[in-house]
Amino acid sequence: MLSHERVWAAIDALAERNSLSASGLAKRAGLDSTAFNKSKRRSSDGRPRWPSTESLAKIIDATNSSLDDFFALIEEKSTLATQRPLQPQKSIVPLIGFAQAGTGGFFDDAGFPSGQGWDLIELPAAAGEGAYALQVHGDSMLPLYRDGDMLVVQPNAPVRKGDRVVVKTVSGEVMAKVLDRRTPAVIELVSLNPDHPHRKLAAGDIEWVARIVWASQ
């Protein structure tokens, strides 16, 4: 019998069989790179979301598989974990530069990656669902972050005073700062580079705030 869990598990297994992450499989099939994220598999009220028949057809075609192959994965997935040795966890996450991030169309209203134009990068450790990477350009974040560093951002991670965060304003500006104070009316941010000013912004000017959880330093 088809079940929500086994269909999604088969998609993950198809990706693994082709040495891809779920995001990599989606991108190879010409879909949004976040289409198969675990956060997309249930609605906000917890109801299961099923992959569309169109998306299934695209990933089957993109991996030179057949419908029979996919159904076989649905049947076999329950035993795959016992047949394969555990591998060190890695993650492939969407990647974009800070300059691109501010141009629009790359994030949804909650700060999760969306749309096209993302690259992919492999991280040496597991990342949370919905995580993505921003590449630093220039010296505005010295001495903490250098040109070329990758900042891994987790949109749904709790944010507290003292956390390093990425902030996107409604005008499209994207910046990495340290959260100093946040109230219903304002947010105060400390610059990573002492040569750059601190920022105090009205809450209504902020589109989203997301915590930096890791950096490739």
Side-chain angles (χ1 to χ4, degrees), residues 41-57:
R41 301 182 185 187
R42 290 189 177 274
S43 62
S44 58
D45 59 5
R47 290 181 296 176
R49 283 178 174 166
W50 292 75
S52 69
T53 54
E54 180 183 9
S55 63
L56 292 179

Side-chain angles (χ1 to χ4, degrees), residues 99-110:
Q100 284 178 286
T103 59
F106 291 103
F107 300 96
D108 63 19
D109 292 341

Side-chain angles (χ1 to χ4, degrees), residues 46-150:
R47 290 181 296 176
R49 283 178 174 166
W50 292 75
S52 69
T53 54
E54 180 183 9
S55 63
L56 292 179
K58 286 184 175 181
I59 62 173
I60 289 171
D61 181 62
T63 55
N64 295 315
S65 303
S66 67
L67 189 59
D68 287 341
D69 293 332
F70 187 75
F71 276 106
L73 286 174
I74 292 175
E75 294 300 322
E76 295 170 6
K77 183 55 187 171
S78 60
T79 61
L80 283 177
T82 60
Q83 294 173 349
R84 299 185 180 183
L86 292 176
Q87 300 294 325
Q89 282 192 316
K90 293 185 178 181
S91 294
I92 296 178
V93 300
L95 166 70
I96 201 169
F98 264 90
Q100 284 178 286
T103 59
F106 291 103
F107 300 96
D108 63 19
D109 292 341
F112 286 88
S114 64
Q116 304 297 320
W118 292 82
D119 291 323
L120 295 174
I121 184 175
E122 184 177 75
L123 303 178
E129 188 63 35
Y132 59 89
L134 291 173
Q135 186 170 26
V136 175
H137 295 289
D139 61 0
S140 64
M141 301 179 200
L142 287 173
L144 194 58
Y145 301 129
R146 300 163 297 180
D147 183 71
D149 281 349
M150 305 291 179

